[in-house]
Amino acid sequence: MSAPERTDPATPEPRVPKTAKKFHAPKYHVEFDDPALRSQYRSAPFIAGPVGLLYPLFGRIEVLGLDRIPEGPAIIVPYHASYLDPIAIGLTLWRNGYLPHYLAKSGLFTGIVGAVLKRIGQIPVLRGSARAGDSLQYARAALEAGEKVVIYPQGTLTKDPELWPEPSKTGAARLALQTRAPVIPLAHWGLQKPMPVGSKIPKPSPGSVCTVLFGDPIAYEDLAYDHDGIRALTDRITCHIAAGVARLRGEELPERFRAALTEDPEAGR
């Protein structure tokens, strides 16, 4: 997919360059051309296979809404409440034919873990750096190659005492408005038993179930790539994720999440 050239009056964004070497140190460089993608897809089974064999120790994954994942490029924006959920989401996508390209904190891209992440085309986020926005350049390149990009819009685990999603950061909205790729909200529920709140180490729980729910694409055709559009889409993303969590929990959506859904021209259709 070819992303239209869009510019924010305040902060002009260049188009994705043919190579990222001009603005990144080589250790953070990742390609999404055909040879690189073939290599990533060849390498992924060697990581996903062992992880998939171990995951049943912590329960099974039930998936709803797979038909909502479009063919071609898409931005998947998940709920983040557990250190296990990236694994559950990654396995779900891989088992259904998609290699997810996560935007992950740059601290993970060192040593053996970093080598593995680079091998399968994951994207580092250089937080607090002048180059922090470069990760969106890589994400745009992945989308132009027709891939699925996964961005946790909260940027970190939710700290809400009732485990509702906290307000999103603007990265996912900016990427969507630059590329016009479909935005798919993803909710999940059921990881509290194998990974209790506050825990960093999972515990065996083979009888537990994590339900993963892909939502309908978030409509944003009415929004422009400007300050107001970025803010509006960011709020929509948060609220659509919350709506999915409410459905899985069998609870009513809190009032604070309803305004942005009301503004969404496609919500409720």
Side-chain angles (χ1 to χ4, degrees), residues 52 71 253:
E71 292 301 319
L253 183 67

Side-chain angles (χ1 to χ4, degrees), residues 7-12 225-227:
T7 56
D8 183 337
T11 55
Y225 180 45
D226 55 23
H227 180 272

Side-chain angles (χ1 to χ4, degrees), residues 84-227:
L84 266 183
D85 63 58
I87 297 174
I89 292 165
L91 284 174
T92 296
L93 290 167
W94 176 251
R95 288 169 175 172
N96 288 281
Y98 308 112
L99 174 59
H101 300 280
Y102 284 83
L103 271 72
K105 61 183 181 181
S106 60
L108 295 173
F109 287 76
T110 58
I112 295 175
V113 172
V116 169
L117 293 177
K118 295 172 196 175
R119 187 73 179 174
I120 56 174
Q122 306 309 297
I123 301 169
V125 178
L126 302 171
R127 293 176 179 173
S129 164
R131 299 181 302 172
D134 290 350
S135 58
L136 293 186
Q137 300 273 17
Y138 286 129
R140 288 168 63 183
L143 291 171
E144 288 194 346
E147 295 296 291
K148 305 295 187 286
V149 171
V150 181
I151 303 180
Y152 279 100
Q154 296 174 175
T156 187
L157 295 173
T158 183
K159 296 177 178 62
D160 183 89
E162 296 181 343
L163 295 182
W164 293 106
E166 292 187 289
S168 298
K169 301 182 186 301
T170 62
R174 293 175 68 89
L175 180 63
L177 289 164
Q178 290 169 5
T179 64
R180 296 290 162 174
V183 179
I184 309 298
L186 187 156
H188 60 81
W189 195 250
L191 291 174
Q192 300 86 336
K193 191 171 182 180
M195 182 69 86
V197 176
S199 174
K200 294 186 178 180
I201 301 176
K203 63 179 183 179
S205 182
S208 65
V209 178
C210 170
T211 303
V212 173
L213 171 65
F214 293 93
D216 289 318
I218 299 172
Y220 63 95
E221 293 84 356
D222 59 314
L223 302 179
Y225 180 45
D226 55 23
H227 180 272

